[in-house]
Coordinates of all heavy atoms in Angstrom, one line a residue:
D1 N 118.2 93.6 109.2 CA 119.2 94.5 108.8 C 119.0 94.9 107.3 O 118.5 94.1 106.5 CB 120.6 93.9 108.9 CG 121.1 93.7 110.3 OD1 120.7 94.5 111.2 OD2 121.8 92.7 110.5
S2 N 119.3 96.2 107.0 CA 119.1 96.6 105.7 C 120.5 97.1 105.1 O 121.4 97.4 105.9 CB 118.1 97.8 105.6 OG 118.6 98.9 106.4
D3 N 120.6 97.0 103.8 CA 121.8 97.4 103.2 C 121.8 98.9 102.9 O 120.7 99.5 102.7 CB 122.0 96.7 101.9 CG 122.2 95.2 102.1 OD1 122.8 94.8 103.1 OD2 121.8 94.4 101.2
K4 N 123.0 99.5 102.7 CA 123.1 100.9 102.3 C 122.7 101.0 100.9 O 122.8 100.0 100.1 CB 124.5 101.4 102.6 CG 124.8 101.6 104.0 CD 126.1 102.3 104.2 CE 126.4 102.5 105.6 NZ 127.6 103.3 105.8
L5 N 122.3 102.2 100.5 CA 121.9 102.4 99.1 C 123.2 102.3 98.2 O 124.3 102.6 98.6 CB 121.4 103.8 98.9 CG 120.1 104.1 99.7 CD1 119.7 105.6 99.5 CD2 118.9 103.3 99.1
D6 N 123.0 101.9 96.9 CA 124.0 101.9 96.0 C 124.3 103.4 95.6 O 123.4 104.2 95.6 CB 123.6 101.1 94.7 CG 123.5 99.7 95.0 OD1 124.1 99.1 95.9 OD2 122.6 99.0 94.3
N7 N 125.5 103.7 95.1 CA 125.9 105.0 94.7 C 125.5 106.1 95.7 O 124.9 107.1 95.3 CB 125.2 105.3 93.3 CG 125.6 104.2 92.3 OD1 126.7 103.8 92.2 ND2 124.6 103.8 91.5
V8 N 126.0 105.9 96.9 CA 125.7 106.9 97.9 C 126.4 108.2 97.5 O 127.6 108.2 97.2 CB 126.2 106.4 99.3 CG1 126.0 107.5 100.4 CG2 125.4 105.1 99.7
G9 N 125.7 109.3 97.6 CA 126.2 110.6 97.3 C 125.6 111.7 98.2 O 124.9 111.3 99.2
P10 N 125.8 112.9 97.9 CA 125.3 114.0 98.8 C 123.8 114.1 98.9 O 123.3 114.6 99.9 CB 125.9 115.3 98.2 CG 126.3 114.9 96.8 CD 126.5 113.4 96.8
D11 N 123.1 113.5 98.0 CA 121.6 113.6 98.0 C 121.1 112.3 98.6 O 119.8 112.1 98.8 CB 121.0 113.8 96.7 CG 121.3 115.2 96.1 OD1 121.4 116.1 97.0 OD2 121.5 115.3 94.9
S12 N 121.9 111.3 99.0 CA 121.4 110.1 99.5 C 120.8 110.3 100.9 O 121.3 111.1 101.7 CB 122.6 109.1 99.6 OG 123.1 108.7 98.4
Y13 N 119.8 109.6 101.2 CA 119.1 109.6 102.4 C 118.4 111.0 102.7 O 118.0 111.3 103.8 CB 120.0 109.2 103.6 CG 120.5 107.8 103.4 CD1 121.8 107.6 102.9 CD2 119.8 106.7 103.8 CE1 122.3 106.3 102.8 CE2 120.3 105.4 103.6 CZ 121.6 105.3 103.1 OH 122.1 104.0 102.9
S14 N 118.3 111.8 101.7 CA 117.6 113.1 101.9 C 116.1 112.9 101.9 O 115.6 111.9 101.5 CB 118.0 114.0 100.7 OG 117.4 113.5 99.5
V15 N 115.4 113.9 102.4 CA 113.9 113.8 102.4 C 113.3 113.6 101.0 O 112.5 112.7 100.8 CB 113.3 115.0 103.2 CG1 111.8 115.0 103.0 CG2 113.7 115.0 104.6
P16 N 113.8 114.3 100.0 CA 113.2 114.1 98.7 C 113.5 112.7 98.2 O 112.6 112.0 97.6 CB 113.9 115.1 97.8 CG 114.2 116.2 98.7 CD 114.6 115.5 100.0
E17 N 114.7 112.1 98.4 CA 115.0 110.8 98.0 C 114.1 109.8 98.7 O 113.6 108.8 98.2 CB 116.4 110.5 98.2 CG 116.8 109.1 97.7 CD 118.3 108.7 97.9 OE1 118.8 108.9 99.0 OE2 118.8 108.2 96.9
Q18 N 114.0 109.9 100.1 CA 113.2 109.0 100.8 C 111.7 109.1 100.4 O 111.0 108.1 100.4 CB 113.3 109.3 102.3 CG 114.7 109.0 102.9 CD 115.2 107.6 102.5 OE1 114.5 106.6 102.8 NE2 116.4 107.5 101.9
Y19 N 111.2 110.3 100.1 CA 109.9 110.4 99.6 C 109.6 109.6 98.3 O 108.6 109.0 98.2 CB 109.5 111.9 99.3 CG 108.1 112.0 98.8 CD1 107.0 111.8 99.6 CD2 107.9 112.1 97.4 CE1 105.7 111.8 99.0 CE2 106.6 112.1 96.8 CZ 105.5 112.0 97.7 OH 104.3 111.9 97.1
K20 N 110.6 109.6 97.4 CA 110.5 108.9 96.2 C 110.3 107.4 96.5 O 109.5 106.7 95.9 CB 111.7 109.1 95.3 CG 111.7 110.5 94.7 CD 113.0 110.7 93.9 CE 113.2 112.1 93.4 NZ 114.5 112.3 92.8
F21 N 111.1 106.9 97.5 CA 110.9 105.5 97.8 C 109.6 105.2 98.4 O 108.9 104.2 98.1 CB 112.0 105.1 98.8 CG 113.4 105.0 98.3 CD1 114.5 105.6 98.9 CD2 113.7 104.3 97.1 CE1 115.7 105.6 98.4 CE2 114.9 104.2 96.6 CZ 116.0 104.9 97.2
F22 N 109.1 106.1 99.3 CA 107.8 105.9 99.9 C 106.7 106.0 98.9 O 105.8 105.1 98.9 CB 107.6 107.0 101.0 CG 106.3 106.9 101.7 CD1 106.1 105.9 102.7 CD2 105.2 107.8 101.4 CE1 104.8 105.8 103.3 CE2 104.0 107.6 102.1 CZ 103.8 106.7 103.0
D23 N 106.7 106.9 98.0 CA 105.7 107.0 97.0 C 105.7 105.8 96.1 O 104.6 105.3 95.8 CB 106.0 108.3 96.2 CG 104.9 108.6 95.1 OD1 103.7 108.6 95.5 OD2 105.2 108.8 94.0
A24 N 106.9 105.3 95.7 CA 106.9 104.1 94.9 C 106.4 102.9 95.6 O 105.7 102.1 95.0 CB 108.4 103.8 94.5
M25 N 106.6 102.8 96.9 CA 106.1 101.7 97.7 C 104.5 101.8 97.7 O 103.9 100.8 97.5 CB 106.6 101.7 99.1 CG 106.0 100.6 100.0 SD 106.3 100.9 101.8 CE 105.2 102.3 102.2
M26 N 104.0 103.0 98.0 CA 102.5 103.1 98.0 C 101.9 102.8 96.7 O 100.9 102.1 96.6 CB 102.2 104.5 98.5 CG 102.6 104.9 99.9 SD 101.9 103.9 101.2 CE 100.4 104.9 101.5
E27 N 102.6 103.2 95.6 CA 102.1 102.9 94.3 C 102.2 101.4 94.0 O 101.2 100.8 93.5 CB 103.0 103.6 93.2 CG 102.6 103.4 91.8 CD 101.3 104.1 91.4 OE1 101.0 105.1 92.0 OE2 100.6 103.6 90.5
A28 N 103.3 100.7 94.4 CA 103.4 99.3 94.2 C 102.4 98.5 94.9 O 101.9 97.4 94.5 CB 104.8 98.8 94.6
L29 N 102.0 99.0 96.1 CA 101.0 98.3 96.9 C 99.6 98.6 96.5 O 98.6 98.0 97.0 CB 101.2 98.7 98.4 CG 102.5 98.2 99.1 CD1 102.6 98.8 100.5 CD2 102.5 96.7 99.2
G30 N 99.4 99.6 95.6 CA 98.1 99.9 95.1 C 97.3 100.7 96.1 O 96.0 100.6 96.1
V31 N 97.9 101.4 97.0 CA 97.2 102.1 98.0 C 96.5 103.4 97.4 O 97.2 104.2 96.9 CB 98.2 102.6 99.2 CG1 97.5 103.4 100.2 CG2 98.8 101.4 99.8
Q32 N 95.2 103.4 97.4 CA 94.4 104.4 96.7 C 93.3 105.0 97.5 O 92.7 106.0 97.1 CB 93.9 103.9 95.4 CG 95.0 103.5 94.5 CD 94.5 102.9 93.1 OE1 93.3 103.0 92.9 NE2 95.3 102.4 92.3
E33 N 92.9 104.3 98.6 CA 91.7 104.8 99.4 C 91.8 104.4 100.8 O 92.5 103.5 101.2 CB 90.4 104.4 98.7 CG 90.3 102.8 98.7 CD 89.0 102.4 98.0 OE1 88.3 103.2 97.6 OE2 88.9 101.2 97.9
N34 N 91.1 105.2 101.7 CA 90.9 104.8 103.1 C 92.3 104.7 103.8 O 92.4 103.9 104.7 CB 90.2 103.5 103.2 CG 88.9 103.6 104.0 OD1 88.6 104.7 104.4 ND2 88.2 102.5 104.2
V35 N 93.2 105.6 103.4 CA 94.5 105.6 104.0 C 94.6 106.3 105.3 O 94.2 107.5 105.4 CB 95.6 106.2 103.0 CG1 97.0 106.2 103.6 CG2 95.5 105.4 101.7
T36 N 95.2 105.7 106.3 CA 95.5 106.3 107.6 C 97.0 106.1 107.8 O 97.5 105.0 107.8 CB 94.7 105.7 108.8 OG1 93.3 105.8 108.5 CG2 95.1 106.4 110.1
L37 N 97.7 107.3 107.8 CA 99.1 107.2 108.0 C 99.5 107.6 109.5 O 98.9 108.5 110.0 CB 99.8 108.2 107.1 CG 99.7 108.0 105.6 CD1 100.4 109.2 104.8 CD2 100.4 106.7 105.2
V38 N 100.4 106.9 110.1 CA 100.9 107.2 111.4 C 102.4 107.4 111.2 O 103.1 106.4 110.8 CB 100.6 106.1 112.4 CG1 101.2 106.4 113.8 CG2 99.1 105.8 112.5
C39 N 102.9 108.6 111.4 CA 104.2 109.0 111.0 C 105.0 109.6 112.2 O 104.4 110.3 113.0 CB 104.2 110.0 109.9 SG 103.1 109.6 108.5
H40 N 106.2 109.3 112.2 CA 107.1 109.8 113.3 C 108.3 110.5 112.7 O 108.9 110.0 111.7 CB 107.6 108.6 114.2 CG 108.5 109.1 115.3 ND1 109.8 108.9 115.2 CD2 108.2 109.7 116.5 CE1 110.4 109.4 116.3 NE2 109.4 109.9 117.1
S41 N 108.7 111.6 113.3 CA 109.9 112.3 113.0 C 109.9 112.7 111.5 O 108.9 113.3 111.0 CB 111.1 111.5 113.3 OG 112.3 112.3 113.2
W42 N 110.9 112.5 110.7 CA 111.0 112.9 109.3 C 109.9 112.1 108.5 O 109.5 112.6 107.4 CB 112.4 112.7 108.7 CG 113.3 113.8 109.2 CD1 114.2 113.7 110.2 CD2 113.3 115.1 108.8 NE1 114.8 114.9 110.4 CE2 114.2 115.8 109.6 CE3 112.5 115.9 107.9 CZ2 114.5 117.2 109.4 CZ3 112.8 117.2 107.7 CH2 113.8 117.9 108.5
G43 N 109.4 111.0 109.0 CA 108.3 110.3 108.4 C 107.1 111.2 108.3 O 106.3 111.0 107.4
G44 N 106.9 112.1 109.3 CA 105.8 113.0 109.3 C 105.9 114.0 108.1 O 104.8 114.3 107.5
V45 N 107.1 114.4 107.8 CA 107.3 115.3 106.6 C 106.9 114.5 105.3 O 106.2 115.0 104.5 CB 108.7 115.8 106.6 CG1 109.0 116.6 105.3 CG2 109.0 116.6 107.8
I46 N 107.4 113.3 105.2 CA 107.2 112.5 104.0 C 105.7 112.1 103.9 O 105.1 112.2 102.9 CB 108.1 111.2 104.1 CG1 109.6 111.6 103.9 CG2 107.7 110.2 103.0 CD1 110.6 110.6 104.3
G47 N 105.2 111.6 105.0 CA 103.7 111.2 105.0 C 102.8 112.4 104.8 O 101.8 112.3 104.0
S48 N 103.1 113.6 105.3 CA 102.3 114.8 105.1 C 102.3 115.2 103.7 O 101.3 115.6 103.1 CB 102.7 115.9 106.0 OG 102.5 115.6 107.4
H49 N 103.5 115.1 103.1 CA 103.6 115.5 101.7 C 102.8 114.5 100.8 O 102.1 114.9 99.9 CB 105.1 115.5 101.2 CG 105.3 116.0 99.8 ND1 105.0 117.3 99.4 CD2 105.8 115.4 98.7 CE1 105.2 117.4 98.1 NE2 105.7 116.3 97.7
W50 N 102.9 113.2 101.1 CA 102.1 112.2 100.3 C 100.6 112.5 100.5 O 99.9 112.5 99.5 CB 102.5 110.8 100.7 CG 102.0 109.8 99.8 CD1 102.5 109.2 98.7 CD2 100.7 109.1 99.9 NE1 101.7 108.3 98.1 CE2 100.5 108.2 98.8 CE3 99.6 109.2 100.8 CZ2 99.4 107.5 98.6 CZ3 98.5 108.5 100.6 CH2 98.4 107.6 99.5
A51 N 100.2 112.7 101.8 CA 98.8 112.9 102.0 C 98.3 114.2 101.3 O 97.2 114.2 100.8 CB 98.6 113.1 103.5
N52 N 99.1 115.2 101.2 CA 98.7 116.4 100.5 C 98.5 116.2 99.0 O 97.6 116.7 98.4 CB 99.7 117.5 100.8 CG 99.3 118.8 100.2 OD1 98.1 119.2 100.3 ND2 100.2 119.5 99.5
L53 N 99.4 115.3 98.5 CA 99.3 115.1 97.0 C 98.2 114.0 96.7 O 97.8 113.8 95.6 CB 100.6 114.6 96.5 CG 101.7 115.6 96.5 CD1 103.0 115.0 96.1 CD2 101.4 116.9 95.7
H54 N 97.7 113.3 97.7 CA 96.7 112.2 97.6 C 95.5 112.4 98.5 O 95.1 111.5 99.2 CB 97.4 110.9 97.8 CG 98.5 110.6 96.9 ND1 99.8 111.0 97.1 CD2 98.5 109.9 95.7 CE1 100.6 110.6 96.1 NE2 99.9 109.9 95.2
R55 N 95.0 113.6 98.5 CA 94.0 114.0 99.4 C 92.7 113.1 99.3 O 92.1 112.8 100.3 CB 93.5 115.4 99.2 CG 94.6 116.4 99.7 CD 94.2 117.8 99.4 NE 95.4 118.7 99.8 CZ 95.2 120.0 100.1 NH1 94.0 120.5 100.1 NH2 96.2 120.7 100.4
N56 N 92.4 112.7 98.1 CA 91.2 111.8 97.9 C 91.4 110.4 98.5 O 90.4 109.7 98.8 CB 90.8 111.7 96.5 CG 90.3 113.1 96.0 OD1 89.8 113.9 96.7 ND2 90.4 113.3 94.7
A57 N 92.6 110.0 98.7 CA 92.9 108.7 99.2 C 92.9 108.7 100.8 O 92.8 107.6 101.4 CB 94.3 108.2 98.7
M58 N 93.0 109.8 101.4 CA 93.2 109.9 102.8 C 92.0 109.8 103.7 O 90.9 110.3 103.4 CB 93.9 111.3 103.2 CG 95.3 111.4 102.6 SD 96.4 110.1 103.1 CE 96.4 110.3 104.9
K59 N 92.1 109.0 104.7 CA 91.1 108.9 105.8 C 91.6 109.7 107.0 O 90.8 110.4 107.7 CB 90.8 107.5 106.2 CG 89.8 107.3 107.3 CD 89.6 105.8 107.6 CE 88.5 105.7 108.6 NZ 88.3 104.3 109.0
G60 N 92.9 109.6 107.3 CA 93.4 110.3 108.4 C 95.0 110.3 108.5 O 95.6 109.5 107.8
I61 N 95.5 111.2 109.3 CA 97.0 111.2 109.4 C 97.3 111.6 110.9 O 96.7 112.4 111.4 CB 97.7 112.1 108.4 CG1 99.2 112.0 108.5 CG2 97.2 113.5 108.5 CD1 100.0 112.6 107.4
V62 N 98.3 110.9 111.4 CA 98.8 111.2 112.8 C 100.3 111.5 112.6 O 101.0 110.7 112.0 CB 98.6 110.0 113.7 CG1 99.2 110.3 115.1 CG2 97.2 109.7 113.9
T63 N 100.8 112.6 113.1 CA 102.2 112.8 113.1 C 102.7 113.1 114.5 O 102.0 113.6 115.3 CB 102.6 114.1 112.2 OG1 101.9 115.2 112.8 CG2 102.2 113.9 110.8
M64 N 103.9 112.5 114.8 CA 104.5 112.7 116.1 C 105.9 113.2 116.0 O 106.7 112.7 115.2 CB 104.5 111.4 116.9 CG 103.1 110.8 117.1 SD 103.2 109.0 117.6 CE 103.3 108.3 115.9
E65 N 106.2 114.3 116.7 CA 107.6 114.8 116.6 C 108.1 115.1 115.2 O 109.2 114.9 114.9 CB 108.5 113.9 117.4 CG 108.2 113.8 118.9 CD 109.1 112.9 119.6 OE1 110.1 112.3 119.0 OE2 109.0 112.8 120.8
A66 N 107.1 115.6 114.4 CA 107.5 115.9 113.0 C 107.8 117.4 112.9 O 107.1 118.2 113.4 CB 106.4 115.5 112.1
P67 N 108.9 117.7 112.2 CA 109.3 119.1 112.0 C 108.4 119.7 110.9 O 108.9 120.0 109.8 CB 110.8 119.0 111.6 CG 110.9 117.7 110.9 CD 109.9 116.8 111.6
L68 N 107.2 119.9 111.2 CA 106.3 120.6 110.2 C 106.2 122.1 110.5 O 105.8 122.5 111.6 CB 104.9 120.0 110.3 CG 104.8 118.5 110.1 CD1 103.3 118.0 110.3 CD2 105.3 118.1 108.7
L69 N 106.7 122.9 109.6 CA 106.7 124.3 109.7 C 106.0 125.0 108.6 O 106.1 124.6 107.4 CB 108.2 124.8 109.7 CG 109.1 124.2 110.8 CD1 110.6 124.5 110.4 CD2 108.7 124.6 112.1
P70 N 105.3 126.1 108.9 CA 104.6 126.8 107.8 C 105.6 127.7 107.1 O 106.5 128.3 107.8 CB 103.6 127.7 108.6 CG 104.1 127.8 110.0 CD 104.9 126.6 110.3
F71 N 105.6 127.7 105.8 CA 106.4 128.6 105.0 C 105.5 129.4 104.1 O 104.4 128.9 103.7 CB 107.4 127.8 104.2 CG 108.4 127.1 105.0 CD1 108.3 125.8 105.3 CD2 109.6 127.7 105.4 CE1 109.2 125.1 106.1 CE2 110.5 127.1 106.2 CZ 110.3 125.8 106.5
K72 N 105.9 130.6 103.8 CA 105.0 131.5 103.0 C 104.9 130.9 101.6 O 103.9 131.1 100.9 CB 105.6 132.9 102.9 CG 105.5 133.6 104.2 CD 106.1 135.0 104.1 CE 106.0 135.7 105.5 NZ 106.6 137.0 105.5
S73 N 105.9 130.3 101.1 CA 105.9 129.7 99.7 C 106.9 128.6 99.7 O 107.8 128.5 100.6 CB 106.2 130.7 98.7 OG 107.5 131.2 98.8
W74 N 106.8 127.7 98.6 CA 107.9 126.7 98.5 C 109.2 127.3 98.3 O 110.2 126.7 98.8 CB 107.5 125.8 97.3 CG 106.4 124.8 97.6 CD1 105.2 124.8 97.0 CD2 106.5 123.7 98.4 NE1 104.4 123.8 97.5 CE2 105.2 123.1 98.4 CE3 107.5 123.1 99.2 CZ2 104.9 121.9 99.1 CZ3 107.2 122.0 99.9 CH2 105.9 121.4 99.9
S75 N 109.3 128.4 97.6 CA 110.6 129.0 97.4 C 111.3 129.6 98.6 O 112.5 129.7 98.7 CB 110.5 130.1 96.3 OG 109.7 131.1 96.7
S76 N 110.4 129.8 99.7 CA 111.0 130.3 100.9 C 111.5 129.2 101.8 O 112.1 129.5 102.9 CB 110.0 131.2 101.6 OG 108.9 130.5 102.1
M77 N 111.2 128.0 101.5 CA 111.6 126.8 102.3 C 113.0 126.6 102.1 O 113.5 126.6 101.0 CB 110.7 125.6 101.9 CG 111.1 124.4 102.8 SD 110.1 122.9 102.3 CE 108.6 123.3 102.9
P78 N 113.8 126.3 103.2 CA 115.2 125.9 103.0 C 115.4 124.8 102.0 O 114.6 123.8 102.1 CB 115.7 125.5 104.4 CG 114.7 126.3 105.3 CD 113.4 126.3 104.6
K79 N 116.3 124.8 101.2 CA 116.5 123.8 100.2 C 116.7 122.4 100.8 O 116.4 121.4 100.2 CB 117.7 124.1 99.2 CG 117.4 125.3 98.3 CD 118.5 125.6 97.4 CE 118.2 126.8 96.5 NZ 119.2 127.1 95.6
T80 N 117.3 122.4 102.0 CA 117.5 121.1 102.6 C 116.2 120.4 103.1 O 116.2 119.2 103.4 CB 118.4 121.2 103.9 OG1 117.8 122.2 104.7 CG2 119.8 121.7 103.5
L81 N 115.1 121.2 103.1 CA 113.8 120.6 103.5 C 112.9 120.4 102.4 O 111.9 119.7 102.4 CB 113.1 121.5 104.5 CG 113.8 121.7 105.9 CD1 113.0 122.7 106.8 CD2 114.0 120.4 106.6
A82 N 113.1 121.2 101.3 CA 112.1 121.2 100.2 C 112.0 119.8 99.5 O 113.0 119.1 99.3 CB 112.5 122.3 99.2
L83 N 110.8 119.5 99.1 CA 110.6 118.2 98.4 C 110.6 118.5 96.9 O 110.2 119.5 96.4 CB 109.3 117.6 98.8 CG 109.3 117.1 100.2 CD1 107.8 116.7 100.6 CD2 110.1 115.9 100.3

């Protein structure tokens, strides 16, 4: 079982907030090379974003049922999805 976040607010559990936790975990673990991510659902969004920002670290990525959509620009992406 896991506890709820402290100071839960309207931005709690959002994709950007969850990405910050994921990025911090990868940093704390010292993950820097030969990375293969297997991601499901919103984890695919988070993992794909991390992989894009850490291309030199990546070996491969698998996404399943991830809502990955092409957007013309970051500004055209709905604010609820933007990182």
Side-chain angles (χ1 to χ4, degrees):
D1 292 328
S2 62
D3 294 329
K4 289 187 176 185
L5 297 173
D6 294 332
N7 302 319
V8 175
D11 293 327
S12 295
Y13 301 98
S14 66
V15 172
E17 182 180 49
Q18 295 305 310
Y19 176 78
K20 289 176 189 174
F21 290 132
F22 180 76
D23 185 50
M25 177 193 72
M26 297 295 270
E27 181 73 26
L29 292 173
V31 176
Q32 298 177 7
E33 61 184 356
N34 239 1
V35 178
T36 300
L37 296 175
V38 179
C39 310
H40 178 261
S41 190
W42 284 102
V45 175
I46 293 166
S48 295
H49 185 63
W50 190 91
N52 186 46
L53 295 177
H54 299 86
R55 291 178 183 203
N56 292 333
M58 295 304 298
K59 180 178 180 183
I61 185 167
V62 176
T63 60
M64 297 165 278
E65 299 181 356
L68 302 177
L69 303 170
F71 293 97
K72 293 180 182 179
S73 67
W74 283 110
S75 62
S76 68
M77 181 182 285
K79 289 181 181 181
T80 56
L81 298 179
L83 292 170

